[in-house]
Amino acid sequence: MNTEKESEKPVAEAPKGETPAAGGPKKKSIAWRIVKGLLWFLGGLLAFVLVAVLTLPLWINPVATSLANALVPKYTDTAFNLERVNLNPYTGKLLISGVKLANPEGFAEKDAFSLGSLSAEVEVTSLLSKTIHVREVTVDALFASWVFDAAGSNNFDRIIATVNEKLGPKKEKDEEPSETKVVIDKVTVKNVRAVVGKGVFELQSLTLTDFGKDTPAKLEISGVRLTNPTGFEAENAFSLGSLSIGMDTGDLGKPPFKIHDIVIDSPYASYVFDAQNMDNFTRMLEPLLAKGGEAEAKPAEQKAPKKEKEQA
């Protein structure tokens, strides 16, 4: 009898606020899995961002090259190619090489512009200040052509007009004067060649040091030559052995610069005529001058009949 009464007694309930032993481990395991999943996600995201930042110089360069090669021809309607861009935002170094922009149809010269290489190094910390410090800029194998078609229009006018047409009307903005100053330790330009009309201009080297500093800057140029078109006895229209200029460029906002000294070595110039009795400089720019002459002749033709009426 006592055994049956004891078996009928209700089982004691767990105190309020306490989780039964059987359910505790299960609920704790689910919560831990959620926290663990969030930690893994945040860790993976952090790792991705870290890898992207560290490899920025590797992936930003092909992206820039692809974008330039795809976008530029759409605005110029001419062939364009950019072989290489290397930008390292951590060291402030930039390298651009293998640039070519073709002329539109109707011009004898194939390329309007080409560049062998351009390298630059900027002090990264200076980009956050009001004085940007450029350590060095080097330009090598620069080419440009300024030539004319049968109608007397030059190639760059045609390219610029095409770009402006694609971009649409410009919105005028009130430009506020910039207080940012640029200081350049050294600029080097070498192996320059340009086709100017029917002449060829060449520059062996140009060096500019201490530009924008409080100390005097120095400009040095050597190996300048402007070749005459065919049909002239003199090979060169102009040449210069070297040119050296010392000047102050500290306050770039208030030109002209103050020049201390100029040294010119071996200058040469020729003013000669060909078989058609045209001088060499006129022959170089013959299409442009002819176009200008036609423009001036039209108003004169319109005024002539008025004088005849007055006399009548």
Side-chain angles (χ1 to χ4, degrees), residues 41-290:
F41 173 76
L42 293 175
L45 182 61
L46 180 62
F48 173 78
V49 172
L50 184 61
V51 170
V53 170
L54 292 177
T55 60
L56 183 63
L58 299 177
W59 61 264
I60 196 174
N61 301 322
V63 170
T65 304
S66 300
L67 283 175
N69 289 332
L71 291 178
V72 172
K74 291 182 179 180
Y75 289 97
T76 61
D77 281 345
T78 60
F80 175 81
N81 184 60
L82 172 60
E83 290 183 359
R84 184 182 178 191
V85 176
N86 280 347
L87 172 63
N88 192 325
Y90 310 116
T91 60
K93 292 184 178 181
L94 169 68
L95 173 64
I96 299 174
S97 62
V99 182
K100 278 190 178 183
L101 175 66
N103 271 320
E105 294 182 0
F107 295 93
E109 198 67 35
K110 180 182 178 182
D111 294 328
F113 174 84
S114 68
L115 175 66
S117 65
L118 182 151
S119 62
E121 184 178 355
V122 181
E123 187 177 334
V124 179
T125 55
S126 70
L127 297 175
L128 303 176
S129 66
K130 291 184 178 181
T131 301
I132 298 176
H133 182 196
V134 180
R135 292 193 178 97
E136 188 171 3
V137 177
T138 303
V139 178
D140 186 22
L142 176 65
F143 169 82
S145 67
W146 191 58
V147 290
F148 305 88
D149 60 9
S153 299
N154 71 72
N155 52 338
F156 278 101
D157 280 350
R158 178 95 66 84
I159 293 172
I160 292 170
T162 302
V163 172
N164 289 337
E165 184 180 351
K166 298 289 181 70
L167 291 175
K170 296 181 180 179
K171 295 181 180 179
E172 295 184 0
K173 296 181 179 179
D174 296 332
E175 295 184 0
E176 297 181 359
S178 176
E179 297 181 357
T180 303
K181 182 179 179 180
V182 179
V183 173
I184 306 175
D185 292 345
K186 185 177 182 181
V187 177
T188 303
V189 181
K190 52 187 179 180
N191 301 322
V192 177
R193 183 175 179 271
V195 176
V196 183
K198 295 182 179 180
V200 179
F201 172 81
E202 295 177 345
L203 170 65
Q204 186 177 350
S205 69
L206 179 152
T207 304
L208 176 63
T209 54
D210 299 328
F211 182 79
K213 295 184 178 181
D214 295 331
T215 56
K218 191 170 186 180
L219 174 66
E220 294 179 309
I221 299 173
S222 65
V224 178
R225 184 172 71 163
L226 177 61
T227 305
N228 275 322
T230 56
F232 294 90
E233 292 184 3
E235 180 183 2
N236 298 325
F238 175 81
S239 67
L240 179 66
S242 64
L243 170 67
S244 177
I245 302 176
M247 54 187 173
D248 285 340
T249 61
D251 191 351
L252 300 180
K254 297 179 180 179
F257 306 137
K258 183 179 179 181
I259 297 176
H260 296 293
D261 57 87
I262 301 177
V263 179
I264 302 174
D265 183 27
S266 303
Y268 167 85
S270 69
Y271 184 69
V272 290
F273 297 84
D274 60 8
Q276 287 76 37
N277 203 32
M278 183 175 287
D279 68 87
N280 49 343
F281 289 97
T282 302
R283 181 68 73 186
M284 287 182 202
L285 304 177
E286 185 178 5
L288 178 63
L289 296 174

Side-chain angles (χ1 to χ4, degrees), residues 28-40:
K28 185 179 180 181
S29 177
I30 294 174
W32 171 244
R33 287 179 183 177
I34 294 173
V35 173
K36 189 176 180 181
L38 288 173
L39 290 174
W40 273 104

